Amino acid sequence: MFSGLVREIAPIKDFKENKLYIQSPLRPKIGDSIAVNGACLTVIENKNDGFILELTHHTQEKIATENLQYQAHIEPALQMSDRFDGHFVQGHIDAIGEITQIKHHHNQSDFLIQVPSHITHLLIPKGSITIDGISLTISECTHNLLSLTLIPHTLKQTLFHTYKVGRRVNIETDMIVRSIAHILSCKKQNQWDQFDQITLGY
């Protein structure tokens, strides 16, 4: 489990076949989970200057692997003692979006991202979303587009300040919204009655 608050922007030393070599002062244990641009990966080897993670064929098909060349957002899995900010993030990429517009203003930057139609029902205005491992709030969403508003601090402290129109990004929708949508899609009876029963049970 992750929070969507990136702890490090790490250089990528090598990416060949299924192995991703990250340069970092972080010393994870073998088997630890690390989110790289939002994708949960497993540490398989430690090096003097970093660690190596493994990407399955399935993972490589689901993420924007072309962005694993120079630098990446890194977040170790949460520990029970960690302070929790951001939102609940699993590190499971739902789709790849594409930046179609960027507008920089005095105290904010607006990003417009085109998303695949199969996740549009999971996007809620003012709801949470994870883009390349960053926990963000959706400003607006219409049809196959979502907009994000980043404050200068977020822009500077992440790789977003390097992003250009046409860049593909990893998207993970909000886990709670996704879970509710799945439950409702599986119910053949009156779906809202079923939803009420579920929520009242907590």
Side-chain angles (χ1 to χ4, degrees):
M1 186 68 69
F2 306 92
S3 67
L5 298 184
V6 167
R7 304 304 179 187
E8 181 185 352
I9 296 177
I12 294 175
K13 189 168 184 178
D14 192 28
F15 179 33
K16 289 182 180 178
E17 297 178 355
N18 63 324
K19 294 183 179 180
L20 179 65
Y21 189 165
I22 300 285
Q23 287 186 296
S24 171
L26 183 67
R27 292 294 174 263
K29 297 177 181 178
I30 303 300
D32 279 1
S33 295
I34 306 284
V36 179
N37 283 349
C40 179
L41 304 175
T42 300
V43 177
I44 61 170
E45 184 179 349
N46 275 308
K47 296 287 188 178
N48 291 333
D49 61 346
F51 50 89
I52 294 177
L53 304 135
E54 188 159 22
L55 289 80
T56 65
H57 180 68
H58 173 78
T59 297
Q60 294 185 55
E61 287 182 334
K62 297 296 182 180
I63 69 173
T65 54
E66 71 271 17
N67 296 330
L68 300 177
Q69 298 183 54
Y70 306 108
Q71 292 180 305
H73 296 136
I74 303 296
E75 182 188 357
L78 288 171
Q79 298 182 25
M80 292 298 293
S81 59
D82 288 342
R83 172 176 170 172
F84 187 82
D85 293 305
H87 72 280
F88 292 113
V89 177
Q90 291 181 295
H92 301 163
I93 304 304
D94 296 309
I96 297 175
E98 182 177 331
I99 298 174
T100 60
Q101 186 181 91
I102 302 173
K103 290 185 178 181
H104 297 292
H105 305 283
H106 173 66
N107 64 341
Q108 68 182 54
S109 295
D110 299 326
F111 288 76
L112 194 64
I113 300 177
Q114 185 172 8
V115 301
S117 57
H118 73 271
I119 67 165
T120 54
H121 67 293
L122 303 175
L123 307 179
I124 300 174
K126 312 309 177 187
S128 297
I129 195 164
T130 309
I131 304 293
D132 278 354
I134 307 295
S135 173
L136 298 168
T137 300
I138 299 171
S139 299
E140 295 179 10
C141 48
T142 55
H143 303 298
N144 283 42
L145 295 171
L146 70 85
S147 61
L148 305 168
T149 298
L150 276 64
I151 61 173
H153 175 81
T154 302
L155 189 72
K156 292 178 182 179
Q157 296 301 314
T158 68
L159 290 171
F160 264 89
H161 69 275
T162 68
Y163 288 4
K164 306 294 183 183
V165 170
R167 180 189 172 99
R168 298 200 310 161
V169 293
N170 298 329
I171 298 175
E172 180 181 339
T173 57
D174 183 75
M175 180 177 68
I176 297 174
V177 175
R178 191 168 64 246
S179 298
I180 293 173
H182 176 72
I183 291 170
L184 294 179
S185 69
C186 294
K187 299 298 181 180
K188 295 182 180 180
Q189 303 177 37
N190 186 307
Q191 295 182 340
W192 288 110
D193 286 346
Q194 293 290 330
F195 176 66
D196 287 341
Q197 292 176 20
I198 293 168
T199 55
L200 288 172
Y202 286 93

